[in-house]
Amino acid sequence: MLTSRTFLKRTRAGAVRKIVREHYLRDDIGCGLGGCALCGGESRPALEARPGGAASSLCPGPHFLLPDTNLLLHQIDILEDPVITNVIILQTVLQEVRNRSAPVYKRIKDVINKQEKHFYSFTNEHHKDTYIEQEKGENSNDRNDRAIRVAVKWYSEHLQKLQMEEKVQIILLTNDRKNKEKAVEEGITAYTCEEYIKSLIANPELVDRLASLNDEGNEIETGRIIFAEHLPLSKLQQGIKSNLYLQGTFRANRENYLEATVWIHGDGEEKEIIIQGLRNLNRAVHEDIVAVELLPKAAWAAPSSVVLHDDENQNEDDVEQEEEKEKSLRTSSSNSMLRPTGRVVGIIKRNWRPFCGMLSKSQIKEARRHLFTPADRRIPRIRIETRQASTLEGQRIIVAIDGWPRNSRYPNGHFVKNLGAAGDKETETEVLLLEHDVPHQPFSQSVLSFLPKMPWSITDQDMKCREDLRHLCVCSVDPPGCTDIDDALHCRVLENGNLEVGVHIADVSHFIRPGNALDQESAKRGTTVYLCEKRIDMVPELLSSNLCSLRSNVDRLAFSCIWEMNHSAEILKTRFTKSVINSKASLTYAEAQMKIDSPSMNDDITTSLRGLNKLARILKKCRIDNGALTLSSPEVRFHMDSETHDPIDLQTKELKETNSMVEEFMLLANISVAQKIYDEFSEHALLRKHPAPPPSNYDILVKAAKSKGLEIKTDSAKALADSLDSAEFPSFPYLNTLLRILATRCMMQAVYFCSGMDNDFHHYGLASPIYTHFTSPIRRYADIIVHRLLAVAIGADCTYPDLTDKHKLADLCRNLNYRHKMAQYAQRASVAFHTQLFFKSKGVVNEEAYILFVRKNAIVVLIPKYGLEGTVFFEEKDKPKPTLLYNDEVPSLTVESTTFYTFDRVTVNIMLDASNVQHQKIRMALVEPKLVGTSVPSQATQLNSNNEPKKKKLKE
Amino acid sequence: MAGLELLSEQGFRLDGRRAGELRQLRARMGVFAQADGSAYLEQGNTKALAVVYGPHELRGSRGKAPHAQALVNCQYSMATFSTAERKRRPHGDRASAEMSLHLKQTFEAALLTRLFPRSQIDIYVQILQADGGNYCAAVNAATLALLDAGIPMRDYVCACSAGFLEDTALADLNYVEEAAGGPQLALALLPQAQHIALLELNARLHQDHLPRVLDAATQACRHLHALLDRVVREHLRDAAALLGK
Ligand SMILES: [Zn+2]
């Protein structure tokens, strides 16, 4: 089996070391062809013996395709198309892709796993006939290109030996001119991707999806050079080491396309460098990792406050005009405002993703090149080539960037996908998912392959290390319509008179094993995202809504946290166990409340609930006495029309006592588990902390309360909680809620972290010294890790290397925090969109509102009826500006003769502003109190399409 | 940069082996004339030299020596040039001391020590090049050296390591695979009787997975047994041919 071996010598950075590795070359690697007589037939043939595939005018006969690395990296959109089948992916190519782009690697792996695509990955580097050594003077790229050609030759000879009736060709696809020339010299049929795709007879639309790539080196120099050359990576790294350049993340300015900041990730200290002007920005795109050179102090600039959007209808590379604008940035800035300013000298890593947006059709009728305007203002416009411009007009489309040549004002890209008409509900949902980077593709075959086979039942194997708790009277309490039930509870009186309380959490980590595709996908998604009428699951539905969901009257695997408590809710004993439960009832909060409240009911479930409720009250009191905060945020729910799924009404979520009952035990379980995993794994426990906000955060709250004659103390969480409790205003009962909403805004974000990487564990909001997430593993990945840690701690499951690697855990936390933040934004965007739909159908309305914040030129109001927040501006472009007087101390804003304070009651006029198709928004205007000149009359007015109020932010 | 992919989707390890395959084994017996027994063995790039003296009279203090059986004295060391970075101390460090103890335990289980009361058997093993599975190569080399010396044993002692990665048991780990930090099991087996002379596990592994990993290691040991047996028989044939002349 082991034919021969060779030695590979490698050196690593730092000291030169000679590393000798064995390499066994094999003769038992099959060609992947169904029923191949020479290879003894694959167990799962990937390639069709008689390859179908699209008819091509270049090679009319049956053929296999073999792409090289760059082609795979850049044209993955093409390869994913169902038209392209029977492709051989070499190990050489796959490995290079893996090193160069994780997203593309994942995509190609998914394609390979799709049987109907007939992709075969050929392990050429271990094959005795296709492995080659790097020759002297040959760089690794050339070596890999040669390896690819050798493999192609091997395949053609192999196919010839098979003597099939119909000759099957093998075609090398490469966009590299030199490689192609060499291939043709060696007698290999090679085409560029463009040649091949254009030759496809029946599929002209594929051409649009071609990445427009011209080799950097072979670029035809047309037009004049706009940008300075990017320095090669090696030079950049040298420069960074010698402090000549700085490395950082490029962040484009949302309001000004000619300005950006680069966040320098130095050792400990973080600083920002301003980049101004097209040439200095030098083709960097938002989120790229770039190298920056600082300009001399004389050339430093101040962050400009000008709003500049690149949406004039210019189609030409009109650089002079840009220079004019750049000048406008520099004028009038005092020396104290100057900040370090620099220019981009090179790109260390591109972070391009596919972008959503709309086509700005070229005015030239027959033009094929058009500009695409991304929805995200931080992304430059992209030039694409398409023949379907008229069909794509008014549609939301996705475009990928392919490159940005030095002579082009805009980057070049290609059309990827049409999402549908702008304004359409499904399209917009898709857009907001894409823009918030929420992974929402259907789960791939390789992910689904790790699901348990149905019909599923609990086996004896599953019962190992598991307690049978099916006899307990367990029930779940959730919001109505909940299908992913994470948690269930029970409470019973023990023989010694104490109470036993159990929290049972779906045992998701039983089904999701570490490291497999299912696990990786869930880890990547990080959280389930709940939109107004859609849920994007973190785990496939079979798990989320069935096998893991703790539904009533079925046996389900659970992870239980069981306490023995006395009647004053003091914990006497805590124990954790994997278990099997059989929930006796799935209740809604209202149903549970009704059971507790009706004296006639005395069944087991009700007794259990009453016991829980009683304990929960005590627990809550203790917690609040300890200084936990009860904050408020207006939560909104839409009533959807059951047929059209349009929002017909909004309501704020109502909280029942049972809500807080369930919450109380979840908190308790989370704290108990946090303590346990931290005791067991002090270095790599996944915990959650909530830092105390810096005192200055509270200024706005304290000042606002003062203006109403109330005092809010903020020296500790306890003082804050107490003063919020006592802040009552008899004539204004809603004031307390407003104060709590405002207090919420002063808080910091709670985050996941790895215990070995941090010292501060405190959870400020809950007033707990330690906290984690254990209770929702169906919808949060953090909980899955916590389950795994706990399972190892109690000896119910095994550990794996990544679980005990604190750096990997810290990376994971970073991703989870990011995903949670994005999910939250996506949720808000979804609420915002549905609010727009709602007001679209409702027309213009006047509603009562309260002022939450006073700004320099506007007030931010909250409309309690809809839980909707909006900004009322007092300046409009084409109208005379009213005199504004802002007082920071109180805070208040005087407009002409009317003064606005925080918490004032006003009436506003709400309507949908659809003047910009890509950025629709709710517009608010003041009705009461009346202002001279600015207040709108109560009836609807025609909107002026020039109005461009600032983007409104909607918060829950 | 993505880390190393130790096991590809197609089921190949970095060096081209499949999960259950062993590295190439080469061995020679009787490499030193002065010693009672000696052997040189390569398991892939791990190279070990074993030398055996005895049984001979006890040397040094007799206090600790057992009365009814022979004392097995093992010394394990690594050549300074055996690893990528030069080693400072070839032997006497903690790792070597531990390894010596392991070897002692292994061979006490396999040697018929009761045949030689009040005597001593010395086993010296040196790793000339380390590329994973040092203990296993040391055991296998020592077995051949003991056979060369003609010291009675219950059976061959065959040792092989096994690891566990992505739900797959890997046999005979090389250095890169060991360095990845997954659980690693070292098994020294008396193959015919299926007796375990030594079993060591260096990281947590769930008991559910243990049978699979153990099975992989056992299979590997059996395979090694066949290979070692062939080496011994070839050596005997050559020796017999020499005598015949
Ligand atoms: Zn074949």
PDB file of all heavy atoms in Angstrom, chain B residues 202-217:
ATOM      1  N   ASN B 202      -3.020  10.173  27.606  1.00  0.00           N
ATOM      2  CA  ASN B 202      -2.456  11.446  28.074  1.00  0.00           C
ATOM      3  C   ASN B 202      -3.421  12.613  28.113  1.00  0.00           C
ATOM      4  O   ASN B 202      -3.039  13.715  28.457  1.00  0.00           O
ATOM      5  CB  ASN B 202      -1.235  11.830  27.252  1.00  0.00           C
ATOM      6  CG  ASN B 202      -1.651  12.300  25.882  1.00  0.00           C
ATOM      7  OD1 ASN B 202      -2.778  12.057  25.470  1.00  0.00           O
ATOM      8  ND2 ASN B 202      -0.762  12.959  25.184  1.00  0.00           N
ATOM      9  N   ALA B 203      -4.666  12.406  27.692  1.00  0.00           N
ATOM     10  CA  ALA B 203      -5.642  13.491  27.805  1.00  0.00           C
ATOM     11  C   ALA B 203      -6.995  12.849  28.039  1.00  0.00           C
ATOM     12  O   ALA B 203      -7.144  11.644  27.878  1.00  0.00           O
ATOM     13  CB  ALA B 203      -5.670  14.336  26.542  1.00  0.00           C
ATOM     14  N   ARG B 204      -7.953  13.663  28.413  1.00  0.00           N
ATOM     15  CA  ARG B 204      -9.264  13.090  28.689  1.00  0.00           C
ATOM     16  C   ARG B 204      -9.892  12.558  27.415  1.00  0.00           C
ATOM     17  O   ARG B 204      -9.863  13.189  26.373  1.00  0.00           O
ATOM     18  CB  ARG B 204     -10.187  14.163  29.240  1.00  0.00           C
ATOM     19  CG  ARG B 204      -9.867  14.521  30.641  1.00  0.00           C
ATOM     20  CD  ARG B 204     -11.098  15.147  31.224  1.00  0.00           C
ATOM     21  NE  ARG B 204     -10.762  16.001  32.344  1.00  0.00           N
ATOM     22  CZ  ARG B 204     -11.679  16.498  33.160  1.00  0.00           C
ATOM     23  NH1 ARG B 204     -12.936  16.231  32.949  1.00  0.00           N
ATOM     24  NH2 ARG B 204     -11.327  17.245  34.165  1.00  0.00           N
ATOM     25  N   LEU B 205     -10.457  11.382  27.538  1.00  0.00           N
ATOM     26  CA  LEU B 205     -11.153  10.782  26.411  1.00  0.00           C
ATOM     27  C   LEU B 205     -12.389  10.144  27.001  1.00  0.00           C
ATOM     28  O   LEU B 205     -12.315   9.474  28.038  1.00  0.00           O
ATOM     29  CB  LEU B 205     -10.267   9.713  25.756  1.00  0.00           C
ATOM     30  CG  LEU B 205     -10.876   8.914  24.628  1.00  0.00           C
ATOM     31  CD1 LEU B 205     -10.966   9.767  23.372  1.00  0.00           C
ATOM     32  CD2 LEU B 205     -10.058   7.681  24.324  1.00  0.00           C
ATOM     33  N   HIS B 206     -13.515  10.371  26.371  1.00  0.00           N
ATOM     34  CA  HIS B 206     -14.727   9.818  26.940  1.00  0.00           C
ATOM     35  C   HIS B 206     -14.700   8.303  26.863  1.00  0.00           C
ATOM     36  O   HIS B 206     -14.203   7.740  25.901  1.00  0.00           O
ATOM     37  CB  HIS B 206     -15.939  10.353  26.203  1.00  0.00           C
ATOM     38  CG  HIS B 206     -17.199  10.093  26.944  1.00  0.00           C
ATOM     39  ND1 HIS B 206     -18.039   9.070  26.630  1.00  0.00           N
ATOM     40  CD2 HIS B 206     -17.727  10.705  28.018  1.00  0.00           C
ATOM     41  CE1 HIS B 206     -19.049   9.082  27.475  1.00  0.00           C
ATOM     42  NE2 HIS B 206     -18.895  10.059  28.326  1.00  0.00           N
ATOM     43  N   GLN B 207     -15.253   7.669  27.893  1.00  0.00           N
ATOM     44  CA  GLN B 207     -15.191   6.209  27.925  1.00  0.00           C
ATOM     45  C   GLN B 207     -15.895   5.574  26.731  1.00  0.00           C
ATOM     46  O   GLN B 207     -15.549   4.488  26.295  1.00  0.00           O
ATOM     47  CB  GLN B 207     -15.764   5.673  29.225  1.00  0.00           C
ATOM     48  CG  GLN B 207     -17.216   6.037  29.452  1.00  0.00           C
ATOM     49  CD  GLN B 207     -17.758   5.360  30.703  1.00  0.00           C
ATOM     50  OE1 GLN B 207     -16.995   4.941  31.535  1.00  0.00           O
ATOM     51  NE2 GLN B 207     -19.062   5.261  30.797  1.00  0.00           N
ATOM     52  N   ASP B 208     -16.881   6.264  26.171  1.00  0.00           N
ATOM     53  CA  ASP B 208     -17.570   5.722  24.998  1.00  0.00           C
ATOM     54  C   ASP B 208     -16.627   5.583  23.809  1.00  0.00           C
ATOM     55  O   ASP B 208     -16.817   4.741  22.950  1.00  0.00           O
ATOM     56  CB  ASP B 208     -18.715   6.651  24.578  1.00  0.00           C
ATOM     57  CG  ASP B 208     -19.856   6.593  25.563  1.00  0.00           C
ATOM     58  OD1 ASP B 208     -19.740   5.792  26.510  1.00  0.00           O
ATOM     59  OD2 ASP B 208     -20.821   7.347  25.393  1.00  0.00           O
ATOM     60  N   HIS B 209     -15.645   6.464  23.766  1.00  0.00           N
ATOM     61  CA  HIS B 209     -14.735   6.432  22.624  1.00  0.00           C
ATOM     62  C   HIS B 209     -13.566   5.473  22.856  1.00  0.00           C
ATOM     63  O   HIS B 209     -12.909   5.080  21.915  1.00  0.00           O
ATOM     64  CB  HIS B 209     -14.177   7.832  22.350  1.00  0.00           C
ATOM     65  CG  HIS B 209     -15.236   8.796  21.922  1.00  0.00           C
ATOM     66  ND1 HIS B 209     -15.167  10.121  22.189  1.00  0.00           N
ATOM     67  CD2 HIS B 209     -16.400   8.599  21.267  1.00  0.00           C
ATOM     68  CE1 HIS B 209     -16.246  10.719  21.706  1.00  0.00           C
ATOM     69  NE2 HIS B 209     -17.003   9.807  21.152  1.00  0.00           N
ATOM     70  N   LEU B 210     -13.359   5.148  24.127  1.00  0.00           N
ATOM     71  CA  LEU B 210     -12.190   4.342  24.458  1.00  0.00           C
ATOM     72  C   LEU B 210     -12.131   3.036  23.675  1.00  0.00           C
ATOM     73  O   LEU B 210     -11.091   2.714  23.108  1.00  0.00           O
ATOM     74  CB  LEU B 210     -12.131   4.089  25.967  1.00  0.00           C
ATOM     75  CG  LEU B 210     -10.890   3.341  26.435  1.00  0.00           C
ATOM     76  CD1 LEU B 210      -9.642   4.149  26.136  1.00  0.00           C
ATOM     77  CD2 LEU B 210     -10.968   3.017  27.916  1.00  0.00           C
ATOM     78  N   PRO B 211     -13.249   2.286  23.584  1.00  0.00           N
ATOM     79  CA  PRO B 211     -13.157   1.025  22.844  1.00  0.00           C
ATOM     80  C   PRO B 211     -12.670   1.203  21.416  1.00  0.00           C
ATOM     81  O   PRO B 211     -11.873   0.409  20.920  1.00  0.00           O
ATOM     82  CB  PRO B 211     -14.595   0.506  22.856  1.00  0.00           C
ATOM     83  CG  PRO B 211     -15.231   1.161  24.017  1.00  0.00           C
ATOM     84  CD  PRO B 211     -14.558   2.485  24.186  1.00  0.00           C
ATOM     85  N   ARG B 212     -13.127   2.277  20.769  1.00  0.00           N
ATOM     86  CA  ARG B 212     -12.732   2.465  19.370  1.00  0.00           C
ATOM     87  C   ARG B 212     -11.244   2.774  19.255  1.00  0.00           C
ATOM     88  O   ARG B 212     -10.554   2.267  18.371  1.00  0.00           O
ATOM     89  CB  ARG B 212     -13.558   3.576  18.737  1.00  0.00           C
ATOM     90  CG  ARG B 212     -14.937   3.099  18.362  1.00  0.00           C
ATOM     91  CD  ARG B 212     -15.865   4.236  18.070  1.00  0.00           C
ATOM     92  NE  ARG B 212     -15.374   5.058  16.970  1.00  0.00           N
ATOM     93  CZ  ARG B 212     -15.865   6.264  16.706  1.00  0.00           C
ATOM     94  NH1 ARG B 212     -16.794   6.772  17.465  1.00  0.00           N
ATOM     95  NH2 ARG B 212     -15.401   6.936  15.692  1.00  0.00           N
ATOM     96  N   VAL B 213     -10.777   3.630  20.154  1.00  0.00           N
ATOM     97  CA  VAL B 213      -9.363   3.997  20.102  1.00  0.00           C
ATOM     98  C   VAL B 213      -8.509   2.788  20.474  1.00  0.00           C
ATOM     99  O   VAL B 213      -7.494   2.490  19.835  1.00  0.00           O
ATOM    100  CB  VAL B 213      -9.079   5.184  21.050  1.00  0.00           C
ATOM    101  CG1 VAL B 213      -7.625   5.592  20.973  1.00  0.00           C
ATOM    102  CG2 VAL B 213      -9.971   6.354  20.702  1.00  0.00           C
ATOM    103  N   LEU B 214      -8.974   2.075  21.494  1.00  0.00           N
ATOM    104  CA  LEU B 214      -8.241   0.902  21.943  1.00  0.00           C
ATOM    105  C   LEU B 214      -8.198  -0.140  20.833  1.00  0.00           C
ATOM    106  O   LEU B 214      -7.181  -0.800  20.601  1.00  0.00           O
ATOM    107  CB  LEU B 214      -8.936   0.337  23.193  1.00  0.00           C
ATOM    108  CG  LEU B 214      -8.122  -0.623  24.036  1.00  0.00           C
ATOM    109  CD1 LEU B 214      -6.809   0.001  24.460  1.00  0.00           C
ATOM    110  CD2 LEU B 214      -8.932  -1.046  25.264  1.00  0.00           C
ATOM    111  N   ASP B 215      -9.311  -0.236  20.137  1.00  0.00           N
ATOM    112  CA  ASP B 215      -9.396  -1.192  19.050  1.00  0.00           C
ATOM    113  C   ASP B 215      -8.403  -0.828  17.945  1.00  0.00           C
ATOM    114  O   ASP B 215      -7.705  -1.700  17.419  1.00  0.00           O
ATOM    115  CB  ASP B 215     -10.821  -1.169  18.496  1.00  0.00           C
ATOM    116  CG  ASP B 215     -11.114  -2.428  17.727  1.00  0.00           C
ATOM    117  OD1 ASP B 215     -10.794  -3.510  18.270  1.00  0.00           O
ATOM    118  OD2 ASP B 215     -11.615  -2.326  16.593  1.00  0.00           O
ATOM    119  N   ALA B 216      -8.346   0.453  17.626  1.00  0.00           N
ATOM    120  CA  ALA B 216      -7.404   0.902  16.599  1.00  0.00           C
ATOM    121  C   ALA B 216      -5.969   0.588  17.026  1.00  0.00           C
ATOM    122  O   ALA B 216      -5.163   0.101  16.223  1.00  0.00           O
ATOM    123  CB  ALA B 216      -7.564   2.404  16.362  1.00  0.00           C
ATOM    124  N   ALA B 217      -5.673   0.837  18.304  1.00  0.00           N
ATOM    125  CA  ALA B 217      -4.321   0.576  18.797  1.00  0.00           C
ATOM    126  C   ALA B 217      -4.034  -0.922  18.784  1.00  0.00           C
ATOM    127  O   ALA B 217      -2.935  -1.355  18.422  1.00  0.00           O
ATOM    128  CB  ALA B 217      -4.154   1.147  20.201  1.00  0.00           C
TER     129      ALA B 217
END
